[in-house]
Amino acid sequence: MLSIESLNQFYGQSHTLWDLNMQVPEGKCTCLMGRNGVGKTTLLQCIMGLLPVESGAIHYQGENILSLSAEKRAPVGIGYVPQGRQIFPLLTVEENLRIGLPARGDGLRQIPDFIYELFPVLKEMLHRRGGDLSGGQQQQLAIGRALVVNPKLLILDEPTEGIQPNVVAEIGDIIRQLNEEIGLTVLLVEQKLPFARKVADNFCILDRGRQVATGDMDELNDELVKKYLTV
Ligand SMILES: Nc1ncnc2c1ncn2[C@@H]1O[C@H](COP(=O)(O)OP(=O)(O)O)[C@@H](O)[C@H]1O
Ligand SMILES: [Mg+2]
């Protein structure tokens, strides 16, 4: 569904992603892994068109989307939950959700009901300010906002970061539900190993801007974990 080929990215003079390859198969949940600072968020921002790319290709359903501006990437069917959630604290829950609407390809101007079915708490808190929600509720809001564009591919950057342990499992359940029941393809950045093992089908590990390992989740062995994931 999503295929990254020989991607190179620079921040000014600093070469950050190196000939990077990654496959995100349709219908699966793929976990992008690696220690802090290896380039995971940078790669996601390149996919979303938020950062310029030096060379390489990003194919989404067979089309090279590199020439599309950032505003044109959500309408092709990619939803994005950025690291740190980045909801608007002073806007209401409803206003935060509405922000995604113009990016829909079909002109729909109403928030789809399935989002409230998935996250009943958002419906209860529709008129509360985003900043007044708990961390877990804010994460649901950020996921809900990404779903407003009716994506086929959902990209989440560390959705459990800074979330209370009892809510982490809930977010895992939501991601599995989106993947297995609603049929979304998922690309997830996650550093918590048990969570990644539980939620994802396959993995792709980055180290210093390079892809160093990839495979089915049950092939993620202790050696790889020790070499590339533990601090
Ligand atoms: N806006 C930026 N300008 C310059 N360097 C950056 C910028 N954002 C990130 N970096 C650097 O790029 C590298 C990769 O960062 P990032 O993609 O955020 O890593 P990760 O998400 O894996 O923790 C890091 O060395 C980081 O310091
Ligand atoms: Mg990051």
Side-chain angles (χ1 to χ4, degrees):
M1 167 159 262
L2 182 74
S3 169
I4 314 284
E5 290 130 38
S6 299
L7 197 74
N8 284 283
Q9 188 272 350
F10 289 74
Y11 286 112
Q13 301 289 332
S14 168
H15 195 168
T16 306
L17 301 181
W18 299 72
D19 292 322
L20 201 140
N21 294 297
M22 181 178 68
Q23 300 294 324
V24 179
E26 181 150 15
K28 302 273 188 206
C29 178
T30 299
C31 190
L32 178 61
M33 309 178 86
R35 294 186 179 102
N36 275 331
V38 296
K40 303 178 299 294
T41 297
T42 300
L43 174 57
L44 299 192
Q45 290 182 337
C46 289
I47 295 169
M48 296 314 296
L50 302 171
L51 281 176
V53 154
E54 179 74 17
S55 63
I58 301 179
H59 284 98
Y60 173 73
Q61 294 191 315
E63 181 195 359
N64 192 347
I65 59 170
L66 271 185
S67 59
L68 298 180
S69 64
E71 307 80 68
K72 298 234 167 77
R73 295 200 198 183
V76 301
I78 308 177
Y80 177 50
V81 182
Q83 188 164 16
R85 305 184 273 280
Q86 296 179 21
I87 60 156
F88 298 96
L90 297 180
L91 298 186
T92 64
V93 167
E94 184 173 19
E95 288 164 339
N96 269 281
L97 289 170
R98 287 198 163 272
I99 289 200
L101 278 176
R104 279 184 73 105
D106 61 4
L108 184 90
R109 288 294 168 265
Q110 268 204 325
I111 297 155
D113 279 339
F114 83 95
I115 292 173
Y116 297 131
E117 284 158 25
L118 267 172
F119 306 118
V121 70
L122 296 185
K123 187 154 198 175
E124 285 159 30
M125 300 202 164
L126 220 47
H127 304 296
R128 296 272 282 274
R129 285 185 178 185
D132 293 339
L133 271 55
S134 71
Q137 290 164 347
Q138 289 187 10
Q139 191 56 262
Q140 295 184 39
L141 177 56
I143 297 172
R145 182 180 58 187
L147 294 177
V148 163
V149 300
N150 203 18
K152 297 187 192 75
L153 170 66
L154 182 65
I155 297 177
L156 306 108
D157 196 348
E158 306 218 25
T160 69
E161 195 183 26
I163 300 286
Q164 288 177 4
N166 59 324
V167 188
V168 167
E170 214 173 284
I171 290 174
D173 292 341
I174 288 164
I175 294 171
R176 283 179 70 133
Q177 192 183 354
L178 291 169
N179 177 234
E180 290 166 14
E181 290 168 33
I182 301 187
L184 297 186
T185 302
V186 176
L187 172 59
L188 167 73
V189 170
E190 183 54 58
Q191 302 222 34
K192 294 186 181 75
L193 198 54
F195 184 90
R197 285 197 199 277
K198 207 169 133 207
V199 172
D201 301 303
N202 38 37
F203 69 90
C204 174
I205 300 179
L206 303 192
D207 190 34
R208 283 169 290 169
R210 292 176 168 85
Q211 194 249 90
V212 289
T214 179
D216 288 348
M217 206 34 110
D218 54 18
E219 296 169 322
L220 180 59
N221 56 36
D222 292 349
E223 194 188 326
L224 287 171
V225 169
K226 204 169 151 195
K227 194 162 174 196
Y228 297 118
L229 301 179
T230 47
V231 279

